[in-house]
Amino acid sequence: WIDGEVLKVNGDTITVKCSNEKTVTAKASHVHAKDPEESPCGVDDMTKLAYLHEPGVLQNLKSRYDMNEIYTYTGSILIAVNPFRRLPHLYDIQMMEQYKGADFGELSPHPFAVADVAYRLMLNEGISQSILVSGESGAGKTESTKMIMRYLAYMGGKAATEGRTVEKQVLQSNPVLEAFGNAKTVRNNNSSRFGKFVEIQFDQKGRISGAAVRTYLLERSRVCQISESERNYHCFYMICAGSPEEREKYKLGDPSTFHYLNQSNCYKIDGLDESKEYLETRKAMDIIGISSEEQEAIFRIVAAILHLGNVEFAEGDDVDSSKPKNEKSMFHLRTAAELFMCDEKALEDSLCKRIIVTRDENIVKTLDAEAAKGSRDALAKTVYSRLFDWLVTKINNSIGQDPTSKCLIGVLDIYGFESFKTNSFEQFCINLTNEKLQQHFNQHVFKMEQEEYTKEEIDWSYIEFVDNQDILDLIDKKPGGIIALLDEACMLPRSTHETFAQKLYQTFKNHKRFVKPKLSRSDFTICHYAGDVTYQTELFLDKNKDYVIAEHQALLGASGCSFVSGLFPLLSDDSSKSSKFSSIGSRFKQQLQSLLETLSSTEPHYIRCVKPNSLLKPAIFENQNVLQQLRCGGVMEAIRISCAGYPTRRTFLEFIDRFGILAPDVLTGSSDEITAVRRLLEKVDLQGYQVGKTKVFLRSGQMAELDARRNEVLGRSANLIQRKVRSFLAKKSFIALRRSAVQIQTVCRGELARRVYQGLRREAASLKIQTRYRMHNARKAYTELSASALTIQSSLRGMAARKEIHFRRQTRAAIIIQTRCRQFLARLDYSRTRKAAITTQCFWRGKVARKELRKLKLAARETGALQAAKNKLEKQVEELTWRLQLEKRMRADLEESKSQENAKLQAALQEVQQQYKETKDTLVKEREAAKKVAEIAPVIKEVPVIDTELMNKLRDENDKLKTLVSSLEKKIDDTEKKYDETNKISEERLKKAMDAESKIDDLNMAMLRLQEKISNMETDEKVQRQALLSTPVRSMSEHLSIPIVPKNLENGYHEAEEPKEPQSAPPALKDYGNGDPKLKKSSAEKQQENVDALIDCVAKNLGYCEGKPVAAFTIYKCLLHWKSFEAEKTSVFDRLIQLIGSAIENEEDNDNLAYWLSNTSSLLFLLQRSLKAAGAPGTVSRKKPPQPTSLFGRMAQMLIYLSRACALHLLPTCTLKRLMLCAKLRPSIPRYFSSSS
């Protein structure tokens, strides 16, 4: 259509000059008149158009669309044109406030207005409402539905609430369902591939009290097969865009690497951030009430479906068998099995084999590669469908439904009419839905309109419209419909799509709505109300069968994941045998019938969504596309009948109540409402109206005319009232002015008197100020003079004091220098003397050691017995340790079960107590009510009436309440007894565990002592044996004449070069070790006693001496004295480490931690200095450096660990610094920590 100007009229032909400067000649029937005075912005309600025809409607919609006015009314129907851009100012909170309570049509057209009308009707009339949002894919149905639900949540939500409210859960269910049920199609980037009907329940106050979501016909085939330029469901791309940790956990990569996603080259949508959408979906799941474990299981299933799609099959070894194609397929199969938590081999068998159950035995049938691929896709579709159904059920259970609610508002968002190049079973069901909804629209907008006129017996000429009942009979009539024939073909084992198509051709060959294409043997065409659609029957039978393969059911039903096994509950044999054949088509038809019944029980409101162009871009308006959608939605018929009929109707009582003021004399003396209405309409000289049995019917615009006259009458009355009120206000204002003048005079006179008095006060004050100022100047001069004198005196005295302290410091420094010098000379003399004594001792010890060899040989015989005893004790300790761990685990399990049982008992106790309190409160209220009745009863004396039945009922109820209270008290006592018994049992078990721990500690100490004895004996034996096997005994003079140069001064002892062992020892040396074993034993016991004394001493807080920890230096000197560093094995270090570890267990005592930190650090520093001295240059080591597993290495490592535990792990940095200052540590200790860390 295009604008033009009529140049010439010649009969039925008209010459028009178009706006594009072209001249066109057309028939008069093809040319429509245009209103030259119409607004360039259009009108918000198209029933107000002067010329209501197709060009006028299109021009009005285009004018408003160009101005971003995307909503337009057609009577009570809202037309929404998709802008394909964000318009946030239309949907904010301020906009909701504007439409709250506003009359329909008072403000600009908006979905909020439709939702507000439905909400007000529900509250005022108590009738359930429904809002039907329809339109083709990409028209904006889903967004309109979101806006309506947002407004209903705003109106029915609870203010200032926290947590997961019902309205929040209802709104947050949209992102979850969109993630798992929406996908990109050719026509829409966010197309809903399922139907949705949201029932929002309200209480009597209009607050949302519950909700339920009903879904219809999820497109399962999209999981395994997508067309070019389309995408799979959003959730698959979201999980591939998740965090790297999640992708690694699910073994996912780029979407292009998965077969179910790379069938199309479309992986991303412009302006959509998949990772952000993924986080929003997880957040919505949290609000709905899906736990983190359930979310983990959900996305694990989604990842498993992707891996399952990458499993390819090749021909197997046997005929008609199959197996995974290569190692890559095996990897994806293995990953899918891990994610499903099922057996890998069982998953492979369920895909490649079938079990045929016969009466005698079970037959295993192998599947070829193509059949195995079909089995794989069937499993993926079944799992995804079950997962989607679980999400819907979870949303409904989480939101909850209100059984006491009597009113609801349903919002229907369902797929629009679809017609593609290839139309399969999904398009067939979708178009059936649109046919049903179109019939519902016809009945409520067209038929109900005419029935209303017929019921009221007014003159009306019927307007004909297209009725699609014949199409519905063609599809879902039973028997004989297409769905019935499809179910029959599915039940027959040898049926194919070709036999099904031939059956359709034979049955409907004479049907005017059914057409057989000429160039196809299996396709068929149905003439829908919106156009002809050709369907391909190749996959009709497979998609209509609603069953799960038994092997898949058994496999996933036995999954180790409770979530997966819950999706596939095991069915009993009886139920599986007795179940009838079920099909998708029949089940969908039943759901559709239930939906229509629900819609029929509500008051409908319609929103028709229109897609302005097929490019999905803004600012493009295609007339032909929009006009076709308006015709398919029945909007044009609705416009025509709305203006041709009587859009305004009122009952007689409402009409008289509203417009009776136009003719008050008509209402006097008349009791007949119909007569009064007729006289009133004649009085106002209104034409073209109709008076029915119960209502008055007005033509379009007549209601506005009556309201204008009513406003005139009300305006005249308002003028009279205003005149009287203004005269009253003027009089009142004059009296107030006169009273104010008197008050102003009084105030002025008082102000003059106050000013005179203020002058006198200022004169007296100035005299006082002068006096005080002079006194202040004199005092200030005296103070400055005094301060100068004091400053001079202080400086002189300070100079004398500084000279005195300088002289004292010089004297003290000289004394310190003399002391250090004398100390150095004395230490030098002492060190020389000590060195000579040590050399003499070394030679003498060699002689004594040879004497001890015989004693060591005797002690060696006892070492075997001690070693056996040691091994036996170690086994006992290991067994007791294992028992202790077992007892600890049992105790932990017992405490956990006890805590759970206590929680249950406490919950039950609280519930019983609550019931008891409620019952008691009820009894008290009833007694008070009975007392009030007894007090009031004597007042009524004239008509005494005794309601014996009521008294009997009250007695019975009282008896019942008493019995209930007694039973509740008994339950409380029982629960308390059980709680006490469980506490006693847990305490007894705790005592047993503590006893076992103490026994194990004793055994550990005994074993440590035994090990220490054995190690001491072995060390002494080795040292003495090495001394005996050295060079033969020489005379003292020989030793003195040939001195041995010491290798290293380590630990205060000279270590001579170790001589080589002689080839043969003298016979006298063989019997040298035969000494008294009691001496050896006594030395080991003495050593053990010394260690015990050291441990007991160090366990106490010895404090510091000159800033150095006493305990550390005591330990170091004892170790040097006992030659512990020369032994290969000793238990002294283990006992010291155990002591320090037990001392720092209390992390809260900072002083204790500081004390042990300083001791441990100092001891480690001393040990490190000894190591450095041992490895100094110029010395030759007789052994290799000790390995980390040696005794000293273990000691150093453990001390480092304890130091780090004290300083780094148990305390913050600031606290560590503070404790070091408190403990007065030396500067070397912090430097050591910084280097060793």
Side-chain angles (χ1 to χ4, degrees), residues 893-1041:
D893 296 340
L894 177 63
E895 288 178 357
E896 184 178 359
S897 62
K898 184 183 72 173
S899 61
Q900 293 179 356
E901 186 176 358
N902 289 342
K904 291 180 181 178
L905 290 174
Q906 288 178 0
L909 180 61
Q910 291 177 1
E911 183 178 358
V912 171
Q913 288 177 352
Q914 184 65 25
Q915 293 179 359
Y916 175 74
K917 288 181 181 179
E918 292 177 357
T919 307
K920 193 172 181 180
D921 294 339
T922 307
L923 284 173
V924 172
K925 289 180 181 179
E926 289 183 356
R927 287 174 183 172
E928 290 177 357
K931 288 180 181 180
K932 290 181 181 179
V933 171
E935 291 174 359
I936 297 172
V939 180
I940 304 172
K941 297 180 180 180
E942 295 181 357
V943 186
V945 178
I946 300 174
D947 193 348
T948 56
E949 294 181 358
L950 180 60
M951 293 298 294
N952 292 332
K953 289 181 180 179
L954 291 175
R955 288 195 193 96
D956 295 339
E957 291 179 358
N958 196 8
D959 294 338
K960 291 179 181 178
L961 291 173
K962 287 180 179 180
T963 55
L964 179 60
V965 170
S966 61
S967 63
L968 291 175
E969 291 177 350
K970 289 180 181 179
K971 290 181 180 179
I972 293 171
D973 295 336
D974 295 339
T975 52
E976 289 178 352
K977 290 178 181 179
K978 290 180 180 179
Y979 182 73
D980 295 336
E981 290 175 0
T982 52
N983 278 337
K984 290 179 181 179
I985 293 170
S986 61
E987 289 175 359
E988 291 175 0
R989 293 182 178 177
L990 183 60
K991 288 180 181 179
K992 292 179 181 180
M994 296 299 290
D995 295 339
E997 284 184 358
S998 62
K999 290 179 182 179
I1000 289 173
D1001 292 338
D1002 296 339
L1003 288 174
N1004 283 330
M1005 293 299 296
M1007 189 184 73
L1008 286 174
R1009 290 172 183 166
L1010 182 59
Q1011 287 178 349
E1012 187 175 359
K1013 288 180 181 179
I1014 294 171
S1015 62
N1016 290 336
M1017 293 175 67
E1018 290 177 352
T1019 304
D1020 294 342
E1021 179 184 0
K1022 190 170 182 180
V1023 171
Q1024 294 180 8
R1025 186 176 294 169
Q1026 288 176 357
L1028 289 174
L1029 294 177
S1030 61
T1031 57
V1033 181
R1034 298 178 183 176
S1035 63
M1036 184 61 69
S1037 61
E1038 292 174 344
H1039 287 289
L1040 294 174
S1041 62

Side-chain angles (χ1 to χ4, degrees), residues 839-857:
T839 304
T840 306
Q841 289 173 1
C842 288
F843 290 112
W844 178 253
R845 286 171 184 157
K847 182 177 179 180
V848 174
R850 284 188 288 275
K851 292 180 181 180
E852 294 291 330
L853 179 61
R854 295 176 185 176
K855 300 177 183 179
L856 287 175
K857 286 183 178 180

Side-chain angles (χ1 to χ4, degrees), residues 17-35:
K17 183 180 181 181
C18 300
S19 57
N20 57 2
E21 301 300 329
K22 290 184 178 180
T23 303
V24 179
T25 302
K27 293 185 179 180
S29 60
H30 295 167
V31 178
H32 298 278
K34 179 183 177 182
D35 185 7

